[in-house]
Amino acid sequence: MTKATRTGLSRRRLLKGAAAGVAASAFPAPMIWAQNIKDVTLRQFGTGVSNINEVAQKVKEDLGFTLEMTALDSDAVTQRAATQPKSFDIADIEYWICKKVWPTGNLQGMDVGRIKNYDKIVGIFKDGRLTPGSTIAQGTSPNSVGFTDGPDGTSFADHETGWMTLIPTIYNADTLGIRPDLIDHPVESWAELLNPAFRGKASILDISAIGIMDAAMVCEAMGEIQYGDKGNMTRDEIDRTLAIMTEAKKAGQFRAFWKTFDESVNLMASGEVVIQSMWSPAITAVKSRGIPCVYQPLKEGYRAWGGGIGLSKNLSGIELDAAYDYINWYLEGWVGGFLMRQGYYSAVPETSKNYMTENEWGYWFEGKPATEVITNPYGDAMAQPGETRDGGSFEERMGHIACWNAVMDENRYMIRKWNEFIAA
Amino acid sequence: MSAHPTTSPAAPGSLPGALLKNRHVSGWLLASPLGLVLAVFLLLPIAMIAVVSFWGATEFSIYPDFQWDNYAFLLSSPVTYKVFLNTFKYAVLTWIFTLGIGFTVAYFLAFHIRSLTWQIALFLLCTIPFWTSNIIRMISWIPFLGRNGIANSTLMSMGVIDAPLDWLLYSDFSVILAFVHLYTLFMVVPIFNSMMRIDRALIEAAYDAGATGFQTLTNVIIPLCKPGIMIGSIFVVTLVMGDFITVRFMSGSQSANVGRLISNDIALLQYPSAAATAVILLITVLMVIGILLRFVDIRKEL
């Protein structure tokens, strides 16, 4: 001991060193972390639905590193992911976009062994089935583009391989939005979009990959076309679908087409249209202006979409570790709760439950009537006591998916035909 | 312009000194900075667009190639002709209205307002709408023209109509209206400019010679305004033909012009196809300007 003191090594310092040594051997990574993680900055981009500043702030608080968020529209997201691989570390993209972007080789496969909650991710992202008995919906279902062969794989695997392309983060089932105060009969089918009663008061979105799916839901509901697979149409099916839509357009069925979230909100809120394809938060935006608007469940089912986080090929070392930390944090529940309180679903719903009240969980996930006022994460009231969520519980909603947003084999042909439809 | 005529004996200096004195060499040198800027920022990008228009594209990438596919598809599709026709329709209609309104406004400012102060004040008044963005001015029409908008509710309360007029918004009417609103000033400015340079004595002379007001207008003022009209027309026609955002917003995406074809292609990563359309549009616009310039020798008139 005296010897030690002579060399400047006090008992206290020795103990401290020993404790650090024990800690370092038990958790080797976090010790390195503590020093360097504050310097890490990850650049994330994606669509507006999930690229929210609150998430970046929470990352800084919980994980210590900086997350820069850029929100873009779907087309811009595709362009950036495909053409500017050095401009991002994390791509928050939709599964149908993944089908276009993955083959460029700008993203790297993710080792599911490093994803703590992998086992709790809902089945639709792994084998395509919500419950073991359910069927796989048509279109680019997340499971069909969710796996690859290894960290450098450039093609998709049709089963779980241990390497994911995207970690699912957010998804929902979409349907038509209506103005119940301006419509005098119950709307129960997608076919209502082309109902002549709504001449000059209907709208559809002008994003071809999504619009064509809505059009297909309508044509199938009308009994005009039986598709082999709505998410992967033949040229003949594309021609027939757009012929029906063009005919309706020429007859003056549509008031306008929309491309951005705001346009859809304004069309509905101003009463220019009474029925249109719409996104769930747009419905909320209309409602928050005090105008009645319903996200109407339809008997043919929903058109679903999902988004996930992909890692840039350029990530390695401490940045890659930080990215895995971020993914694990993402699935731990705080973000899930944040998203679910807006009407989306989390990839791991059961962890989100810890961050929601019983009332919120009951309303958003279980389809139960609200017991108190339901607010979104920003504090706006979304539902009054006694109201239930449109479309019911998670199983009822996600169990009735007819198709997923898709990129078809005949995608380029479809785009050309879609442009003809718009120009007609 | 060199101060020394080229015929003067070269200074007994070095060869570069003699070269600089040569008016051809110094002329080229003086023009070179602008030439360089134009080459790098105008000619090079256009050349690049022309090159890319022959490339191939897949879903997510473009690859260097030489193929006629993009043009073949473009020129064989009936949609292309329809869209070009639509583009011309918008350009011609907008041109007629902006010319009519622009000429009248400029005439009023130049010949009816006597004091220079008022001319300047009123001219500045015309520019006030341009203090805000193009898109804002355009979008502000939407609530005005809408089914439950101010225009319809006013007309209905006045008893002029029983049901809202649907064609006010999301129609060719609203597109042209927005174009005229956005671009009339580009017609007013050059016409006003040429009118201000008309020698007032010529108008007096016409009056003394017994010409009526209308004859003075058609025989004196309009011919002397031709350069202004032509410059304004070139502004308006090129702006309308290249515009895509006005058409998208005001037609509710229901109609398309060439600009929208290009923006759609770009959004879907079809750069070569977009480049081919852009090349065809450029050629078309150059042809239109060429025809316009046939009617007036701008160089001589200025």
Side-chain angles (χ1 to χ4, degrees):
Chain A
M1 242 328 114
T2 43
K3 237 176 165 184
T5 315
R6 262 210 317 269
T7 54
L9 200 63
S10 72
R11 191 194 316 176
R12 180 167 294 187
R13 278 188 67 171
L14 201 70
L15 278 173
K16 232 168 135 183
V22 169
S25 58
F27 314 99
M31 295 313 289
I32 309 162
W33 274 110
Q35 287 132 33
N36 298 330
I37 195 155
K38 284 192 180 61
D39 304 330
V40 172
T41 298
L42 294 180
R43 297 159 300 161
Q44 173 177 329
F45 76 99
T47 48
V49 285
S50 49
N51 284 264
I52 311 162
N53 282 331
E54 278 79 356
V55 172
Q57 278 163 19
K58 192 72 179 164
V59 164
K60 188 79 193 169
E61 278 171 35
D62 288 4
L63 299 175
F65 61 84
T66 307
L67 187 69
E68 286 175 1
M69 294 273 202
T70 312
L72 304 164
D73 65 63
S74 300
D75 288 339
V77 163
T78 317
Q79 279 186 47
R80 182 129 171 206
T83 60
Q84 299 169 49
K86 295 231 160 71
S87 74
F88 65 89
D89 302 308
I90 295 174
D92 180 357
I93 59 183
E94 285 165 65
Y95 277 90
W96 62 275
I97 294 174
C98 182
K99 196 167 178 183
K100 290 185 174 191
V101 170
W102 187 261
T104 61
N106 293 343
L107 301 175
Q108 58 174 302
M110 272 172 276
D111 182 0
V112 302
R114 297 182 66 175
I115 312 297
K116 263 188 281 170
N117 283 314
Y118 176 75
D119 293 337
K120 295 179 186 162
I121 292 175
V122 286
I124 35 183
F125 294 99
K126 295 201 276 195
D127 60 6
R129 296 171 206 279
L130 183 61
T131 56
S134 53
T135 52
I136 300 176
Q138 296 178 343
T140 307
S141 60
N143 66 301
S144 66
V145 294
F147 293 95
T148 187
D149 300 325
D152 300 317
T154 51
S155 58
F156 299 115
D158 57 2
H159 58 280
E160 290 181 62
T161 58
W163 293 94
M164 283 192 115
T165 55
L166 302 179
I167 294 291
T169 52
I170 183 173
Y171 52 101
N172 206 351
D174 284 357
T175 182
L176 294 177
I178 61 166
R179 279 284 297 269
D181 55 328
L182 301 175
I183 289 181
D184 53 8
H185 65 270
V187 171
E188 285 166 350
S189 163
W190 281 85
E192 292 283 345
L193 191 70
L194 294 190
N195 184 342
F198 302 130
R199 177 159 299 158
K201 294 180 177 174
S203 175
I204 194 169
L205 78 175
D206 179 18
I207 298 174
S208 52
I210 308 175
I212 191 78
M213 303 306 292
D214 283 350
M217 292 297 284
V218 171
C219 293
E220 199 171 53
M222 290 166 74
E224 296 281 345
I225 303 173
Q226 278 299 320
Y227 296 92
D229 178 354
K230 284 189 285 298
N232 201 2
M233 300 183 197
T234 62
R235 288 192 173 207
D236 178 55
E237 284 170 339
I238 294 169
D239 287 346
R240 281 158 65 201
T241 307
L242 289 172
I244 291 171
M245 299 305 280
T246 307
E247 197 187 321
K249 185 189 173 195
K250 285 190 170 152
Q253 182 71 15
F254 300 111
R255 180 67 171 145
F257 301 120
W258 60 268
K259 208 158 191 168
T260 65
F261 179 88
D262 299 341
E263 283 179 288
S264 75
V265 172
N266 288 334
L267 281 174
M268 205 65 161
S270 65
E272 296 291 340
V273 305
V274 298
I275 184 167
Q276 67 172 353
S277 44
M278 231 172 154
W279 294 335
S280 146
I283 301 272
T284 313
V286 174
K287 273 166 130 175
S288 68
R289 298 187 190 183
I291 296 163
C293 189
V294 173
Y295 212 33
Q296 183 62 47
L298 303 166
K299 64 181 182 209
E300 292 87 8
Y302 297 90
R303 174 188 52 73
W305 58 272
I309 286 178
L311 300 183
S312 163
K313 198 86 176 178
N314 302 315
L315 275 182
S316 60
I318 190 169
E319 274 87 13
L320 185 61
D321 292 339
Y324 272 108
D325 264 24
Y326 171 57
I327 289 169
N328 280 320
W329 172 84
Y330 210 105
L331 299 180
E332 236 154 45
W334 184 87
V335 189
F338 193 90
L339 297 174
M340 287 193 32
R341 275 196 292 271
Q342 294 175 82
Y344 303 115
Y345 292 116
S346 158
V348 188
E350 55 182 287
T351 57
S352 317
K353 193 175 178 180
N354 305 329
Y355 290 83
M356 298 169 85
T357 66
E358 203 173 307
N359 175 39
E360 285 175 329
W361 180 255
Y363 177 82
W364 289 117
F365 192 81
E366 297 175 315
K368 290 181 183 164
T371 51
E372 291 165 53
V373 174
I374 297 283
T375 57
N376 69 7
Y378 309 105
D380 304 324
M382 304 278 283
Q384 298 302 316
E387 285 182 36
T388 51
R389 174 180 188 165
D390 55 49
S393 69
F394 174 74
E395 281 82 12
E396 252 180 282
R397 228 180 140 85
M398 295 311 288
H400 283 101
I401 293 171
C403 61
W404 290 86
N405 284 350
V407 174
M408 310 176 182
D409 296 339
E410 292 287 355
N411 185 48
R412 290 188 70 193
Y413 181 79
M414 188 277 288
I415 290 168
R416 287 171 171 180
K417 286 288 159 184
W418 183 267
N419 281 341
E420 289 179 16
F421 161 60
I422 293 296
Chain B
M1 293 303 128
S2 167
H4 304 279
T6 42
T7 48
S8 73
S14 55
L15 189 64
L19 264 180
L20 278 175
K21 293 255 159 58
N22 182 315
R23 62 177 290 200
H24 295 290
V25 174
S26 60
W28 279 107
L29 282 177
L30 283 170
S32 62
L34 181 64
L36 211 65
V37 167
L38 286 179
V40 173
F41 293 103
L42 184 73
L43 296 182
L44 206 67
I46 291 178
M48 194 64 210
I49 290 172
V51 169
V52 170
S53 72
F54 291 101
W55 287 14
T58 66
E59 204 59 73
F60 49 81
S61 67
I62 58 177
Y63 52 93
D65 196 2
F66 185 85
Q67 54 181 36
W68 290 96
D69 283 18
N70 301 312
Y71 289 99
F73 176 77
L74 189 68
L75 298 176
S76 67
S77 163
V79 175
T80 310
Y81 297 100
K82 211 174 190 168
V83 166
F84 265 89
L85 203 69
N86 218 21
T87 309
F88 281 120
K89 184 179 79 185
Y90 288 142
V92 170
L93 285 172
T94 308
W95 177 73
I96 291 171
F97 288 114
T98 50
L99 180 60
I101 299 169
F103 189 88
T104 317
V105 171
Y107 187 89
F108 177 78
L109 284 177
F111 295 113
H112 279 263
I113 307 297
R114 296 289 167 187
S115 90
L116 189 67
T117 323
W118 274 107
Q119 273 176 342
I120 292 170
L122 290 173
F123 187 78
L124 286 177
L125 201 66
C126 291
T127 67
I128 286 179
F130 286 76
W131 296 356
T132 178
S133 111
N134 232 356
I135 295 191
I136 301 233
R137 276 181 293 142
M138 178 169 72
I139 287 179
S140 59
W141 279 108
I142 293 179
F144 181 80
L145 297 173
R147 189 173 275 144
N148 305 309
I150 301 167
N152 268 322
S153 49
T154 312
L155 288 174
M156 277 165 74
S157 67
M158 282 162 61
V160 182
I161 50 171
D162 300 327
L165 300 173
D166 281 345
W167 54 264
L168 285 182
L169 187 59
Y170 301 135
S171 58
D172 281 349
F173 169 80
S174 55
V175 174
I176 303 279
L177 182 75
F179 272 139
V180 171
H181 174 214
L182 294 178
Y183 298 140
T184 297
L185 193 71
F186 291 96
M187 207 54 120
V188 174
V189 175
I191 297 179
F192 178 68
N193 183 39
S194 17
M195 278 180 177
M196 289 303 282
R197 301 194 315 174
I198 294 174
D199 191 344
R200 296 300 190 268
L202 289 173
I203 296 167
E204 266 176 54
Y207 182 75
D208 290 344
T212 63
F214 185 72
Q215 281 171 326
T216 316
L217 183 71
T218 52
N219 292 324
V220 180
I221 295 176
I222 290 181
L224 288 172
C225 285
K226 255 166 62 182
I229 293 174
M230 216 45 70
I231 292 169
S233 303
I234 290 172
F235 276 148
V236 169
V237 169
T238 50
L239 281 170
V240 171
M241 289 187 77
D243 190 299
F244 63 96
I245 202 86
T246 309
V247 176
R248 179 161 109 59
F249 279 125
M250 298 309 290
S251 76
S253 286
Q254 295 249 50
S255 23
N257 66 346
V258 182
R260 282 204 67 206
L261 281 191
I262 297 172
S263 84
N264 274 351
D265 274 340
I266 291 175
L268 299 162
L269 294 175
Q270 302 297 312
Y271 292 105
S273 164
T277 317
V279 167
I280 300 282
L281 178 65
L282 183 67
I283 292 171
T284 319
V285 171
L286 287 177
M287 272 161 44
V288 170
I289 293 177
I291 292 167
L292 286 176
L293 289 179
R294 284 248 144 187
F295 292 108
V296 62
D297 185 350
I298 292 266
R299 265 180 153 178
K300 197 184 99 201
E301 302 279 355
L302 285 179

